[in-house]
Amino acid sequence: MKVRADLNISLDGFGSTADGTPDDPLGKDWFRLVDAYTATRTFRERVLGDTSGAGTTGVDDTYAANYFVEIGAEIMGAGMFGLHVHPNDPEWQGWWGENPPFHAPVLVLTHEERPDLVMAGGTTFRFLVATPEEALRLAADAAGGLDVRIGGGPTVVRDFLRAGLIDELHVAIAPILLGGGVRLWDELRGLEHNYSVAAETAESGTVHLVFTRSTGGVETPGAEPWRPVGNTI
């Protein structure tokens, strides 16, 4: 089992936007941030249910397809589920409709637990108050030997990185500047010392960075070594 994370960020490192309003919670900048991903054939098929074959099929689509491979459970934050705009709405079932694209157990980290939400296609949302280590133990049990994905948002991914719990991190860097929001990289100085890093540029201009955990990090002379907070499991 691997613990994987995937996130779209801007050139200035923001993984969530700051232009949302109560009437438009995602905001216009969000669609700019994920434009290359939502244009892919995989997104159109897996998320929108469009089986026409429409959508891009280049480098972005390769990473979009990998997003769904061998995932047995997912962990996400309350914001990714939408509880920041629907905190007291028992009818809110997330952004994805009656048949979410996860098709696996999803653990939603909250400050207030809610009843489990069973959806079509094998997705069950479980809401819990837990540390990254506690959540990962539950997700690993639910995954049945498959991988666990840390879906986001950036605060949740950063918490799991700081705890030393992520084996593979994929960030898709959109060629845009947001100037505000929630940054992924804060308080992660030296993270790269424990990972090998590969980069690939897509036709869209999106740069895909993949951080893969090294068996023994190579430390740069004179640099402060990365020291994860907490214990791995």
Side-chain angles (χ1 to χ4, degrees):
M1 186 202 81
K2 289 192 301 184
V3 181
R4 295 157 45 188
D6 290 86
L7 205 62
N8 295 278
I9 67 173
S10 62
L11 280 174
D12 43 354
F14 294 102
S16 69
T17 60
D19 69 332
T21 66
D23 294 329
D24 183 15
L26 293 179
K28 297 181 178 62
D29 276 346
W30 173 254
F31 295 100
R32 295 174 61 224
L33 184 64
V34 300
D35 180 64
Y37 171 55
T38 58
T40 63
R41 177 181 294 180
T42 293
F43 176 87
R44 296 185 64 87
E45 180 177 334
R46 291 296 300 262
V47 181
L48 302 181
D50 178 2
T51 58
S52 69
T56 62
T57 58
V59 172
D60 290 321
D61 189 56
T62 298
Y63 285 94
N66 187 64
Y67 179 84
F68 295 99
V69 172
E70 296 294 318
I71 298 295
E74 172 130 357
I75 299 171
M76 68 173 61
M80 183 173 173
F81 185 78
L83 293 182
H84 62 305
V85 289
H86 298 277
N88 300 309
D89 184 358
E91 302 301 318
W92 176 249
Q93 298 184 340
W95 311 98
W96 305 280
E98 296 182 356
N99 187 3
F102 307 103
H103 308 305
V106 179
L107 280 63
V108 183
L109 301 179
T110 70
H111 296 291
E112 183 177 348
E113 294 185 2
R114 297 158 59 105
D116 289 358
L117 182 59
V118 180
M119 307 293 287
T123 299
T124 296
F125 293 104
R126 180 181 178 186
F127 304 87
L128 71 157
V129 180
T131 66
E133 291 86 355
E134 292 166 344
L136 185 53
R137 289 188 185 97
L138 293 171
D141 288 342
L146 296 177
D147 291 349
V148 173
R149 179 172 59 222
I150 313 302
T155 300
V156 172
V157 172
R158 186 170 64 240
D159 287 346
F160 276 78
L161 285 169
R162 282 175 51 81
L165 300 176
I166 292 179
D167 299 310
E168 183 179 285
L169 169 67
H170 164 238
V171 289
I173 304 176
I176 63 172
L177 295 171
L178 294 181
V182 180
R183 279 175 48 87
L184 172 63
W185 303 122
D186 290 347
E187 301 179 350
L188 292 175
R189 180 177 182 269
L191 173 72
E192 70 280 359
H193 297 320
N194 273 7
Y195 291 85
S196 59
V197 185
E200 186 172 10
T201 303
E203 297 86 348
S204 64
T206 299
V207 176
H208 295 271
L209 287 179
V210 178
F211 293 74
T212 304
R213 188 191 298 276
S214 304
T215 54
V218 178
E219 298 181 359
T220 302
E224 180 180 327
W226 172 248
R227 296 289 182 257
V229 177
N231 298 315
T232 57
I233 63 170

